[in-house]
Amino acid sequence: MAHHAFCGISRQHLGELTEELAPRWEARCESGRDERRGGARQRETGAGPKYELVFIDRVLATLVHLRTGLTHAALGVIYEVGSSTIGRAISEVLPLLAARGFAVPDRPGIRLRTLEDVFAYADAEGAILRIDGMETQVRRPKAGRPGRRAFISGKRKQNTIKTTTISDHQGRTLWSGAERPGRIHDQTAVRTEGIAEQFRQYPRVKAEVDEGYRGLANEFPDQISAPPRKPKDIDSAPLTERYGWREMRRRQSSRRICVEHANAEHRQWRPLQRYTGRRENYGETHRAIASLVSDRAALRTSRHRPSTELVHIRAAAC
């Protein structure tokens, strides 16, 4: 089960992840035991019933469930335990994964957890952000339930939950969140997270967006780049104007496409292709997967554009 085809991460990554989460899991379990017994322990450490699954198996069961979508019953057969034991293990490990935050390229040990962290990082490093929305199909609310239409996406015509992803110029995930029902517009979803205030606070931060964030681009024209508007009467416009508009759109799209690649990495995990669990738990699942994706993406070597300055290799002979 530790093979990357099942759990989605390498063995080295799995070892580092287990070492990172083990103290937090133990502290959380001890806190729960203190709360249940209402005081300090009466017996020595290690006394009492033992866990059916050790911590590494709990992490693996959670990763396999997130990667492949295997049910609790199927995982219970593999580990020879009950499905309730698998469900309890996943409910313990998933919040720890979701709270990890997002890895920073070339900065091991530093993680971004909020939108403020992302803008502070972009301002310090001079990174140009790429912003895009992602929709995941979810179960349809029951008939007669209030707010049922809020999840119907106007673009996909399905019941979805919308999230916002921010990446750098290499498609490395820096932040993913702002979970909102699918009916909400991309721009509205990220505005409710306070992104406009962040652009005002960090005037040097720039971003590339698509047509769905046209309002933000109009509000911050010096910071946000959106696709150029289509000329009026383009069919009767001069040929140079038509080709110029298409070339500008192509160039802006090529600068922004890397965030689409970041979303594609998220889609490799089964729950983000079609989420069949409770809609209330989708945000935690999404953040857990996005944190794992950011770990792998942060390991990519940063590419720097070569200088355009001409340098003489040797003196030319007269």
Side-chain angles (χ1 to χ4, degrees):
M1 300 302 288
H3 195 277
H4 64 86
F6 291 100
C7 65
I9 61 177
S10 65
R11 291 181 182 271
Q12 180 181 357
H13 188 188
L14 176 61
E16 295 172 353
L17 185 66
T18 305
E19 185 178 359
E20 175 189 348
L21 297 182
R24 303 178 188 176
W25 175 77
E26 182 61 35
R28 182 172 181 175
C29 291
E30 187 62 33
S31 175
R33 288 191 288 264
D34 287 344
E35 184 177 352
R36 288 193 297 271
R37 62 177 172 247
R41 63 167 53 248
Q42 301 296 324
R43 294 185 292 181
E44 296 182 359
T45 303
K50 304 299 186 290
Y51 289 109
E52 294 184 85
L53 286 178
V54 296
F55 179 67
I56 181 62
D57 287 335
R58 291 170 179 264
V59 174
L60 275 175
T62 304
L63 293 177
V64 172
H65 175 69
L66 292 177
R67 180 67 173 183
T68 65
L70 277 179
T71 62
H72 296 180
L75 288 170
V77 172
I78 294 173
Y79 283 100
E80 298 181 352
V81 296
S83 59
S84 60
T85 302
I86 297 294
R88 191 180 308 112
I90 293 176
S91 65
E92 291 176 358
V93 177
L94 193 62
L96 300 178
L97 292 173
R100 295 177 65 235
F102 306 91
V104 178
D106 304 323
R107 297 290 188 274
I110 300 177
R111 306 192 71 87
L112 308 176
R113 290 180 171 83
T114 63
L115 204 57
E116 293 82 357
D117 296 342
V118 177
F119 275 78
Y121 163 77
D123 183 67
E125 299 291 334
I128 299 179
L129 304 177
R130 273 70 173 177
I131 306 173
D132 191 34
M134 184 179 77
E135 290 186 79
T136 303
Q137 184 179 358
V138 295
R139 293 161 59 181
R140 187 180 184 184
K142 293 182 179 180
R145 181 167 295 181
R148 190 187 188 200
R149 296 183 59 189
F151 291 91
I152 301 178
S153 169
K155 180 171 63 176
R156 298 185 59 178
K157 310 302 181 185
Q158 296 174 338
N159 290 268
T160 65
I161 288 181
K162 183 170 296 182
T163 55
T164 302
T165 301
I166 299 180
S167 75
D168 63 358
H169 66 286
Q170 290 184 214
R172 298 175 292 193
T173 301
L174 300 177
W175 183 81
S176 188
E179 301 86 11
R180 298 292 186 274
R183 194 177 184 88
I184 295 181
H185 196 273
D186 292 359
Q187 181 179 231
T188 305
V190 75
R191 276 185 180 274
T192 55
E193 289 290 322
I195 195 170
E197 288 74 12
Q198 295 303 316
F199 276 113
R200 295 189 187 97
Q201 186 175 353
Y202 297 96
R204 295 188 302 173
V205 174
K206 300 184 182 299
E208 300 280 349
V209 298
D210 61 4
E211 193 66 39
Y213 301 90
R214 172 67 63 182
L216 275 174
N218 293 339
E219 185 176 353
F220 304 96
D222 298 331
Q223 296 177 256
I224 303 178
S225 172
R229 291 184 179 275
K230 186 176 182 179
K232 296 181 179 179
D233 300 329
I234 189 170
D235 294 332
S236 59
L239 186 63
T240 55
E241 185 175 350
R242 281 183 284 170
Y243 277 104
W245 170 71
R246 291 171 183 167
E247 179 63 17
M248 291 174 62
R249 284 186 63 90
R250 186 194 67 80
R251 292 187 179 185
Q252 199 273 344
S253 177
S254 66
R255 296 193 303 267
R256 192 195 59 84
I257 195 64
C258 51
V259 69
E260 300 282 359
H261 298 161
N263 284 334
E265 288 187 278
H266 298 166
R267 296 288 189 192
Q268 294 176 5
W269 297 71
R270 185 63 179 174
L272 300 192
Q273 298 172 13
R274 185 179 186 275
Y275 187 72
T276 57
R278 291 179 177 271
R279 293 179 302 278
E280 297 80 9
N281 300 335
Y282 174 80
E284 189 174 64
T285 302
H286 179 91
R287 290 190 299 273
I289 293 175
S291 71
L292 296 171
V293 171
S294 71
D295 289 341
R296 183 175 61 179
L299 298 178
R300 300 175 194 158
T301 304
S302 297
R303 299 192 302 266
H304 299 282
R305 293 184 179 180
S307 173
T308 57
E309 181 182 359
L310 298 179
V311 180
H312 291 288
I313 299 178
R314 60 181 178 180
C318 297

